[in-house]
Amino acid sequence: GIQVEQSPPDLILQEGANSTLRCNFSDSVNNLQWFHQNPWGQLINLFYIPSGTKQNGRLSATTVATERYSLLYISSSQTTDSGVYFCAGKGQTGANNLFFGTGTRLTVIP
Amino acid sequence: DAGITQSPRHKVTETGTPVTLRCHQTENHRYMYWYRQDPGHGLRLIHYSYGVKDTDKGEVSDGYSVSRSKTEDFLLTLESATSSQTSVYFCAISGQEPTEAFFGQGTRLTVV
């Protein structure tokens, strides 16, 4: 299967700071997604971004499919941004399922 | 929010007992998946379904079986629960195109 590497594994930010999370894939993927797992364990869809750049409020994401990586930008972080951020992608062959990274745990302190 | 309901949300069971988790969707999506989440591993696929009565194994399928008799329901069964199956289980759904996946709220299973 696809190996997914996320960095950094842990991140502590002061409220208001900006951050960049990275996701590298061992092989070409389709249907790349970013998720936020909140402190209650719920997985929230942030972006469906097979390629290009998308923005949603203070969050934006860029996927460079040819180089097998994706970036998630968080600007003006808030305490509610705390949680674990996962990226995931589907291989171009085989089963139609997502391969997940182990996540970046973000803690935003006031 | 995608219409996905997992039941039960929490369960404690004894080693050796059978357990069935249910995933119900109201989106009429073709694909349904069961993942488990464990510390240090992210989410890993157990089984998935690509249509009624069409299922296949994922990377951690040993000890699990699934069934899908209706488009809206996907059941995960632990035939004889073991402590290594203590985990949080997530159901997911996705359509044909785009194939963005949406997740249920999870089921926390503890095997004692």
Side-chain angles (χ1 to χ4, degrees), chain A residues 30-31 33 35 37 40-48 84 86 90 94-103, chain B residues 1 9 31 33 35 37 40-45 48 57 59 90 94-95 97-105:
Chain A
N30 295 324
N31 307 330
Q33 293 186 239
F35 299 89
Q37 187 167 40
W40 295 271
Q42 188 177 3
L43 281 164
I44 299 166
N45 287 38
L46 296 178
F47 293 100
Y48 173 74
V84 183
F86 291 100
K90 296 182 180 180
N96 188 41
N97 65 283
L98 290 169
F99 290 93
F100 279 79
T102 53
Chain B
D1 290 343
R9 294 291 315 282
Y31 297 97
Y33 314 82
Y35 289 85
Q37 183 178 26
H41 288 279
L43 278 79
R44 294 178 293 173
L45 181 70
Y48 70 100
K57 297 179 179 179
E59 62 178 307
F90 284 95
S94 67
E97 188 66 39
T99 56
E100 183 177 3
F102 296 90
F103 283 78
Q105 293 184 299

Coordinates of all heavy atoms in Angstrom, one line a residue, chain A residues 30-31 33 35 37 40-48 84 86 90 94-103, chain B residues 1 9 31 33 35 37 40-45 48 57 59 90 94-95 97-105:
Chain A
N30 N -4.6 9.5 -5.8 CA -5.8 10.2 -6.2 C -6.6 10.7 -5.0 O -6.4 10.2 -3.9 CB -6.7 9.4 -7.1 CG -6.0 8.9 -8.4 OD1 -5.3 9.7 -9.0 ND2 -6.3 7.7 -8.8
N31 N -7.5 11.6 -5.2 CA -8.5 12.0 -4.2 C -7.9 12.3 -2.8 O -8.3 11.8 -1.8 CB -9.4 10.8 -4.0 CG -10.0 10.4 -5.4 OD1 -10.2 11.2 -6.3 ND2 -10.3 9.1 -5.5
Q33 N -7.2 14.0 0.6 CA -8.0 14.7 1.5 C -7.3 15.1 2.8 O -6.3 14.4 3.2 CB -9.2 13.8 1.9 CG -10.2 13.5 0.8 CD -11.5 12.8 1.3 OE1 -11.8 11.7 0.9 NE2 -12.2 13.4 2.2
F35 N -8.1 16.0 6.9 CA -9.1 15.9 7.9 C -8.6 16.5 9.2 O -7.4 16.5 9.5 CB -9.5 14.4 8.2 CG -10.0 13.6 7.1 CD1 -9.2 13.0 6.2 CD2 -11.4 13.6 6.9 CE1 -9.7 12.2 5.2 CE2 -11.9 12.8 5.9 CZ -11.0 12.1 5.0
Q37 N -9.2 15.9 13.3 CA -9.9 15.1 14.3 C -10.0 16.0 15.6 O -8.9 16.3 16.1 CB -9.2 13.8 14.5 CG -10.0 12.9 15.5 CD -9.5 11.5 15.5 OE1 -8.3 11.2 15.5 NE2 -10.4 10.5 15.6
W40 N -13.0 15.4 20.5 CA -14.0 14.5 20.8 C -13.9 13.3 19.8 O -14.8 12.4 19.9 CB -15.4 15.1 20.7 CG -15.6 16.2 21.7 CD1 -16.1 16.0 23.0 CD2 -15.2 17.6 21.6 NE1 -16.1 17.2 23.6 CE2 -15.5 18.2 22.8 CE3 -14.7 18.3 20.6 CZ2 -15.3 19.5 23.0 CZ3 -14.4 19.7 20.8 CH2 -14.8 20.3 22.0
G41 N -12.9 13.3 19.0 CA -12.7 12.1 18.1 C -13.3 12.2 16.8 O -13.1 11.3 16.0
Q42 N -14.1 13.2 16.5 CA -14.8 13.3 15.2 C -13.9 13.7 14.1 O -13.0 14.6 14.3 CB -15.9 14.3 15.4 CG -16.9 14.4 14.2 CD -18.0 15.3 14.4 OE1 -18.0 16.0 15.4 NE2 -18.9 15.4 13.4
L43 N -14.0 13.0 13.0 CA -13.2 13.3 11.8 C -13.9 14.3 10.9 O -15.0 13.9 10.4 CB -12.8 12.1 11.0 CG -11.7 11.2 11.6 CD1 -11.8 9.8 10.9 CD2 -10.4 11.9 11.3
I44 N -13.4 15.5 10.7 CA -14.0 16.5 10.0 C -13.3 16.8 8.7 O -12.1 16.9 8.7 CB -14.1 17.8 10.8 CG1 -14.9 17.6 12.1 CG2 -14.7 19.0 10.0 CD1 -14.7 18.7 13.1
N45 N -14.0 16.7 7.6 CA -13.4 17.0 6.3 C -13.0 18.4 6.2 O -13.8 19.3 6.4 CB -14.4 16.7 5.2 CG -14.6 15.2 5.0 OD1 -14.7 14.4 6.0 ND2 -14.8 14.7 3.8
L46 N -11.7 18.6 5.8 CA -11.3 20.0 5.6 C -11.2 20.3 4.1 O -11.7 21.3 3.6 CB -9.9 20.2 6.2 CG -9.8 20.1 7.8 CD1 -8.4 20.2 8.2 CD2 -10.7 21.1 8.4
F47 N -10.5 19.4 3.4 CA -10.3 19.7 2.0 C -10.3 18.3 1.2 O -9.8 17.3 1.7 CB -9.0 20.4 1.7 CG -8.9 21.8 2.1 CD1 -8.2 22.1 3.3 CD2 -9.5 22.8 1.4 CE1 -8.1 23.4 3.8 CE2 -9.4 24.1 1.9 CZ -8.7 24.4 3.1
Y48 N -10.9 18.4 0.1 CA -10.8 17.3 -0.9 C -10.0 18.0 -2.1 O -10.5 18.8 -2.8 CB -12.1 16.9 -1.4 CG -12.1 15.9 -2.6 CD1 -11.8 14.6 -2.4 CD2 -12.5 16.3 -3.8 CE1 -11.8 13.7 -3.4 CE2 -12.5 15.4 -4.9 CZ -12.1 14.1 -4.7 OH -12.1 13.2 -5.8
V84 N -5.9 16.7 15.9 CA -5.0 16.0 15.1 C -5.4 16.2 13.6 O -6.6 16.0 13.3 CB -4.9 14.5 15.4 CG1 -3.9 13.8 14.5 CG2 -4.6 14.3 16.9
F86 N -5.0 14.9 9.8 CA -4.6 13.8 9.0 C -4.7 14.1 7.5 O -5.7 14.8 7.1 CB -5.6 12.6 9.2 CG -5.4 11.9 10.5 CD1 -6.3 12.2 11.6 CD2 -4.4 11.0 10.8 CE1 -6.2 11.6 12.8 CE2 -4.3 10.4 12.0 CZ -5.2 10.7 13.0
K90 N -5.8 8.0 -2.1 CA -6.1 6.7 -2.6 C -5.1 6.4 -3.7 O -4.7 7.2 -4.5 CB -7.5 6.7 -3.3 CG -8.6 6.9 -2.3 CD -10.0 6.8 -3.0 CE -11.1 7.0 -1.9 NZ -12.4 7.0 -2.5
G94 N -5.7 -0.7 -7.6 CA -6.2 -1.5 -6.4 C -7.4 -1.0 -5.8 O -8.3 -0.4 -6.4
A95 N -7.6 -1.2 -4.5 CA -8.8 -0.9 -3.8 C -9.1 0.6 -3.7 O -8.1 1.4 -3.7 CB -8.7 -1.5 -2.4
N96 N -10.3 0.9 -3.7 CA -10.8 2.3 -3.7 C -10.8 2.8 -2.2 O -11.9 3.2 -1.8 CB -12.1 2.4 -4.4 CG -12.6 3.8 -4.6 OD1 -11.8 4.6 -4.9 ND2 -13.8 4.0 -4.3
N97 N -9.7 2.7 -1.5 CA -9.7 3.2 -0.1 C -8.6 4.2 0.1 O -7.7 4.3 -0.6 CB -9.6 2.0 0.8 CG -8.2 1.3 0.7 OD1 -8.0 0.6 -0.3 ND2 -7.3 1.6 1.6
L98 N -8.8 4.9 1.2 CA -7.8 5.9 1.6 C -6.7 5.3 2.5 O -6.9 4.5 3.3 CB -8.5 7.0 2.4 CG -9.4 7.9 1.7 CD1 -10.2 8.8 2.7 CD2 -8.6 8.8 0.8
F99 N -5.4 5.7 2.2 CA -4.3 5.4 3.1 C -4.0 6.7 3.9 O -3.8 7.8 3.3 CB -3.1 5.0 2.2 CG -3.3 3.7 1.6 CD1 -3.8 3.6 0.3 CD2 -2.9 2.5 2.2 CE1 -3.9 2.4 -0.3 CE2 -3.1 1.3 1.6 CZ -3.6 1.2 0.3
F100 N -3.9 6.5 5.2 CA -3.7 7.6 6.1 C -2.3 7.8 6.6 O -1.6 6.8 6.8 CB -4.6 7.4 7.3 CG -6.0 7.8 7.1 CD1 -6.9 7.0 6.4 CD2 -6.5 9.1 7.6 CE1 -8.2 7.4 6.2 CE2 -7.8 9.4 7.3 CZ -8.7 8.6 6.7
G101 N -1.9 9.0 6.9 CA -0.7 9.2 7.7 C -1.0 9.1 9.1 O -2.2 8.9 9.5
T102 N 0.0 9.2 10.0 CA -0.2 9.1 11.4 C -0.6 10.4 12.1 O -0.8 10.4 13.3 CB 1.0 8.5 12.1 OG1 2.2 9.3 11.7 CG2 1.3 7.0 11.7
G103 N -0.7 11.4 11.3 CA -1.2 12.7 11.8 C -0.2 13.7 12.4 O 0.9 13.3 12.7
Chain B
D1 N -23.7 17.9 7.1 CA -23.0 16.6 7.5 C -23.5 15.5 6.7 O -24.7 15.4 6.4 CB -23.2 16.4 9.0 CG -22.4 17.3 9.9 OD1 -21.5 18.0 9.3 OD2 -22.7 17.4 11.1
R9 N -22.2 3.5 19.9 CA -21.1 4.5 20.0 C -20.0 4.0 20.9 O -18.8 4.3 20.8 CB -21.6 5.8 20.4 CG -22.6 6.5 19.4 CD -21.8 6.9 18.1 NE -20.6 7.6 18.4 CZ -20.5 8.8 18.8 NH1 -21.6 9.6 19.0 NH2 -19.3 9.4 19.0
Y31 N -19.8 3.2 -2.1 CA -18.7 2.6 -1.3 C -18.9 2.8 0.2 O -19.3 3.9 0.6 CB -17.4 3.2 -1.8 CG -17.0 2.9 -3.2 CD1 -17.3 3.9 -4.2 CD2 -16.4 1.8 -3.6 CE1 -17.0 3.7 -5.5 CE2 -16.1 1.5 -4.9 CZ -16.3 2.5 -5.9 OH -16.0 2.3 -7.2
Y33 N -16.9 1.6 4.0 CA -15.6 1.2 4.5 C -15.6 1.1 6.1 O -16.4 1.8 6.7 CB -14.5 2.2 4.2 CG -14.4 2.7 2.8 CD1 -15.2 3.8 2.4 CD2 -13.5 2.2 1.9 CE1 -15.2 4.3 1.1 CE2 -13.5 2.7 0.6 CZ -14.3 3.7 0.2 OH -14.3 4.2 -1.1
Y35 N -12.8 1.2 9.1 CA -11.4 1.5 9.5 C -11.3 1.3 11.0 O -12.3 1.5 11.7 CB -11.0 2.9 9.2 CG -10.8 3.2 7.7 CD1 -11.9 3.6 6.9 CD2 -9.5 3.2 7.2 CE1 -11.7 3.9 5.6 CE2 -9.4 3.6 5.8 CZ -10.4 3.9 5.0 OH -10.3 4.2 3.7
Q37 N -8.8 2.8 14.3 CA -7.8 3.8 14.6 C -7.1 3.4 15.9 O -7.8 3.2 17.0 CB -8.4 5.2 14.8 CG -7.4 6.2 15.1 CD -8.0 7.6 15.2 OE1 -9.2 7.8 15.5 NE2 -7.2 8.6 14.9
G40 N -0.6 5.7 17.1 CA 0.7 5.5 16.3 C 0.4 4.9 14.9 O 1.4 4.7 14.2
H41 N -0.8 4.6 14.6 CA -1.1 3.9 13.3 C -2.0 4.7 12.4 O -2.3 4.3 11.3 CB -1.7 2.6 13.5 CG -0.7 1.5 14.0 ND1 0.2 0.9 13.2 CD2 -0.5 1.1 15.3 CE1 0.9 0.1 14.0 NE2 0.5 0.2 15.2
G42 N -2.5 5.8 12.8 CA -3.5 6.5 12.0 C -4.7 5.6 11.8 O -5.1 4.8 12.7
L43 N -5.4 5.7 10.7 CA -6.5 4.8 10.4 C -6.1 3.8 9.4 O -5.4 4.1 8.4 CB -7.7 5.6 9.8 CG -8.6 6.4 10.8 CD1 -7.9 7.6 11.3 CD2 -10.0 6.7 10.2
R44 N -6.5 2.5 9.7 CA -6.2 1.4 8.8 C -7.5 0.7 8.3 O -8.4 0.5 9.1 CB -5.3 0.4 9.5 CG -3.9 1.0 9.8 CD -3.0 0.0 10.5 NE -3.6 -0.3 11.8 CZ -3.1 -1.2 12.6 NH1 -2.1 -2.0 12.2 NH2 -3.6 -1.4 13.8
L45 N -7.5 0.3 7.1 CA -8.7 -0.2 6.5 C -8.9 -1.7 6.9 O -7.9 -2.5 6.8 CB -8.6 -0.2 5.0 CG -9.8 -0.7 4.2 CD1 -11.0 0.2 4.4 CD2 -9.5 -0.8 2.7
Y48 N -13.9 -3.3 3.0 CA -14.7 -2.3 2.3 C -15.8 -3.0 1.4 O -15.7 -4.2 1.2 CB -13.9 -1.3 1.5 CG -13.2 -1.9 0.3 CD1 -13.7 -1.7 -1.0 CD2 -12.0 -2.7 0.4 CE1 -13.1 -2.3 -2.1 CE2 -11.4 -3.2 -0.7 CZ -12.0 -3.0 -1.9 OH -11.4 -3.6 -3.0
K57 N -11.3 -7.4 1.4 CA -10.5 -7.2 2.6 C -9.6 -6.0 2.4 O -9.2 -5.6 1.3 CB -9.6 -8.5 2.8 CG -10.4 -9.7 3.1 CD -9.4 -10.9 3.2 CE -10.2 -12.2 3.5 NZ -9.3 -13.3 3.7
E59 N -6.2 -4.0 4.8 CA -4.9 -4.4 5.3 C -4.9 -5.1 6.7 O -4.0 -5.8 7.0 CB -4.0 -3.2 5.3 CG -4.4 -2.1 6.2 CD -3.4 -0.9 6.2 OE1 -2.2 -1.2 6.5 OE2 -3.8 0.2 6.0
F90 N -14.2 3.3 12.8 CA -14.9 4.3 12.0 C -15.4 3.7 10.7 O -14.8 2.9 10.0 CB -13.9 5.4 11.6 CG -13.5 6.4 12.7 CD1 -12.4 6.2 13.4 CD2 -14.4 7.5 12.9 CE1 -12.1 7.0 14.5 CE2 -14.0 8.3 14.0 CZ -12.9 8.1 14.7
S94 N -18.3 6.8 0.4 CA -17.9 7.6 -0.7 C -18.7 7.3 -1.9 O -19.2 6.1 -2.0 CB -16.4 7.6 -1.0 OG -16.0 6.3 -1.5
G95 N -18.9 8.3 -2.8 CA -19.6 8.1 -4.0 C -18.7 7.6 -5.1 O -17.6 7.3 -5.0
E97 N -18.2 9.5 -8.1 CA -17.4 10.6 -8.5 C -18.1 11.9 -8.2 O -19.2 12.1 -8.6 CB -17.1 10.5 -10.1 CG -16.1 11.5 -10.6 CD -14.7 11.3 -10.1 OE1 -14.4 10.1 -10.0 OE2 -14.1 12.3 -9.7
P98 N -17.5 12.8 -7.4 CA -16.2 12.6 -6.8 C -16.2 11.6 -5.7 O -17.2 11.3 -5.1 CB -15.9 14.0 -6.3 CG -17.2 14.5 -5.9 CD -18.1 14.0 -6.9
T99 N -15.0 11.1 -5.4 CA -14.9 10.0 -4.4 C -14.5 10.5 -3.1 O -13.8 9.8 -2.3 CB -14.0 8.9 -4.9 OG1 -12.7 9.5 -5.2 CG2 -14.5 8.2 -6.1
E100 N -14.9 11.7 -2.7 CA -14.6 12.2 -1.4 C -15.2 11.4 -0.3 O -16.4 11.0 -0.4 CB -15.1 13.7 -1.2 CG -14.7 14.3 0.1 CD -15.2 15.8 0.2 OE1 -15.8 16.2 -0.8 OE2 -14.9 16.4 1.2
A101 N -14.4 11.0 0.7 CA -14.9 10.1 1.7 C -15.4 10.9 2.9 O -14.8 12.0 3.3 CB -13.8 9.2 2.2
F102 N -16.4 10.4 3.6 CA -17.0 11.1 4.8 C -17.1 10.0 5.9 O -17.4 8.8 5.6 CB -18.4 11.6 4.5 CG -18.4 12.8 3.5 CD1 -18.5 12.5 2.2 CD2 -18.2 14.1 3.9 CE1 -18.5 13.5 1.2 CE2 -18.2 15.1 3.0 CZ -18.3 14.8 1.7
F103 N -16.8 10.4 7.1 CA -16.7 9.4 8.2 C -17.8 9.6 9.2 O -18.3 10.7 9.4 CB -15.3 9.6 8.9 CG -14.2 9.0 8.1 CD1 -13.7 9.7 7.1 CD2 -13.7 7.8 8.5 CE1 -12.6 9.1 6.3 CE2 -12.7 7.2 7.8 CZ -12.1 7.9 6.7
G104 N -18.2 8.5 9.8 CA -19.1 8.5 10.9 C -18.4 8.9 12.2 O -17.2 9.3 12.2
Q105 N -19.1 8.9 13.3 CA -18.6 9.5 14.5 C -17.7 8.5 15.3 O -17.1 8.9 16.3 CB -19.8 10.0 15.4 CG -20.5 11.2 14.8 CD -21.6 11.7 15.7 OE1 -22.5 11.0 16.0 NE2 -21.4 12.9 16.1

